[in-house]
Amino acid sequence: MPTVRRIAYQGEPGANSHIVCQEHYPDWEALACASFEDVFAAVEGGEADLAMIPIDNSIAGRVADIHHFLPASTLYIVGEHFLRIRFHLMAVPGADLSTIRTVHSHVHALGQCRRIIREHGLSPQISGDTAGAAREVAEAGDPTQAAISPPLAAGIYGLEVLAEDVEDEEHNTTRFVVLSRDAKPAEQGSGPLVTTFVFNVRNLPAALYKALGGFATNGVNMTKLESYMVDGHFTATQFLAEVEGHPDDPPLQRALEELAFFTTEVKLIGTYPADAFRAE
């Protein structure tokens, strides 16, 4: 019997992270975890081979918890995927738009679906998870309750879809990264690549400006730069950055060498294929 390969995600079955796992790893067992910390622990401890983690959303911005865990983690990014976020309004069989009075979902999903909530005069109720909201509505069996959840959740929890694609913005998209225990950098020249790394700048005047200068002078495109406090100190700052290219490409290689002069630590987190969504 072949060994079952597992990919961990945060949330309940039917969550958007579960959808991405099914789309890109259809032959793998998707392992639901209660928290992001549990997802990281599942991969680090060998319970799962990979993790599927949301890192940015086009409306809500960065996923704060991930940007806390990622720099300190021992895991590496080996891929990325973008998912167009879709939400359906769903309820127990027999319910319809005239019977529902409350709508349950994660606070971000409720905020991203204000139009339908307002149109039907629904009372929003916050749940811990979008898919969990569907489960809670199914368990309650109350035709006055509805959930705003991903399409997959309706089939899993036996709910009927009352309205499709109820999100306010069509561009609502989440970027996910795939994490592994092993560094598996993509081969140089294998296509458009992204390199993610973290670094700490020295506590010197204009240190960040000087640290990033090498990327500009070498023509390296930086697509992300996020800052963090280190150990609660206002003077010690860590940055997570993403650039286009492979560390062995001469321009990026020179830029990273120059970065080292103005930092106390540079840690490569992964070099992986750029998702085709970036070119759209």
Side-chain angles (χ1 to χ4, degrees):
M1 293 287 291
T3 303
V4 175
R5 295 180 294 180
R6 295 184 177 88
I7 181 165
Y9 67 93
Q10 186 276 328
E12 298 195 33
N16 284 311
S17 296
H18 188 193
I19 292 174
V20 182
C21 291
Q22 285 196 341
E23 284 185 0
H24 297 281
Y25 296 86
D27 298 328
W28 291 46
E29 179 184 326
L31 177 65
C33 297
S35 68
F36 288 125
E37 191 171 13
D38 291 339
V39 175
F40 278 78
V43 179
E44 290 169 342
E47 186 180 0
D49 304 282
L50 297 175
M52 184 70 75
I53 292 292
I55 192 168
D56 296 295
N57 177 265
S58 61
I59 294 177
R62 74 180 188 181
V63 180
D65 288 346
I66 298 310
H67 287 262
H68 170 74
F69 288 123
L70 197 56
S73 171
T74 60
L75 305 181
Y76 298 89
I77 300 176
V78 296
E80 68 169 3
H81 303 290
F82 289 78
L83 178 70
R84 159 76 164 84
I85 301 300
R86 301 174 61 208
F87 288 122
H88 290 358
L89 183 71
M90 55 191 72
V92 295
D96 58 38
L97 291 173
S98 68
T99 67
I100 59 174
R101 298 290 180 269
T102 62
V103 60
H104 302 247
S105 198
H106 187 274
V107 62
H108 286 168
L110 293 170
Q112 293 168 14
C113 303
R114 290 190 177 95
R115 187 182 302 119
I116 193 166
I117 295 173
R118 184 174 60 252
E119 285 177 356
H120 295 281
L122 303 176
S123 174
Q125 305 293 317
I126 295 174
S127 298
D129 178 77
T130 54
R135 175 185 54 76
E136 292 165 1
V137 167
E139 291 175 349
D142 184 347
T144 69
Q145 297 182 11
I148 288 176
S149 301
L152 181 62
I156 290 177
Y157 300 108
L159 299 179
E160 291 185 351
V161 174
L162 306 184
E164 297 184 352
D165 298 329
V166 298
E167 62 278 2
D168 295 337
E169 304 291 344
E170 291 185 1
H171 65 74
N172 189 354
T173 302
T174 295
R175 175 178 174 240
F176 293 80
V177 292
V178 182
L179 304 178
S180 170
R181 285 187 301 278
D182 304 316
K184 302 173 183 176
E187 291 186 12
Q188 185 182 15
S190 59
L193 302 176
V194 178
T195 294
T196 300
F197 56 94
V198 293
F199 63 93
N200 290 30
V201 295
R202 298 181 185 276
N203 190 20
L204 299 169
L208 180 61
Y209 174 81
K210 295 174 181 176
L212 299 181
F215 297 94
T217 56
N218 286 284
V220 176
N221 186 30
M222 181 170 287
T223 58
K224 174 188 284 290
L225 183 65
E226 300 277 1
S227 63
Y228 311 81
M229 285 185 183
V230 178
D231 297 328
H233 298 301
F234 287 93
T235 57
T237 306
Q238 184 178 68
F239 294 87
L240 182 145
E242 291 182 352
V243 295
E244 295 177 352
H246 191 284
D248 292 337
D249 294 342
L252 182 50
Q253 189 177 51
R254 290 192 295 267
L256 290 172
E257 288 173 356
E258 191 166 335
L259 176 68
F261 284 111
F262 303 102
T263 57
T264 57
E265 179 185 6
V266 178
K267 175 187 175 184
L268 291 175
I269 298 182
T271 298
Y272 46 94
D275 190 281
F277 179 88
R278 289 178 178 265
E280 295 179 3

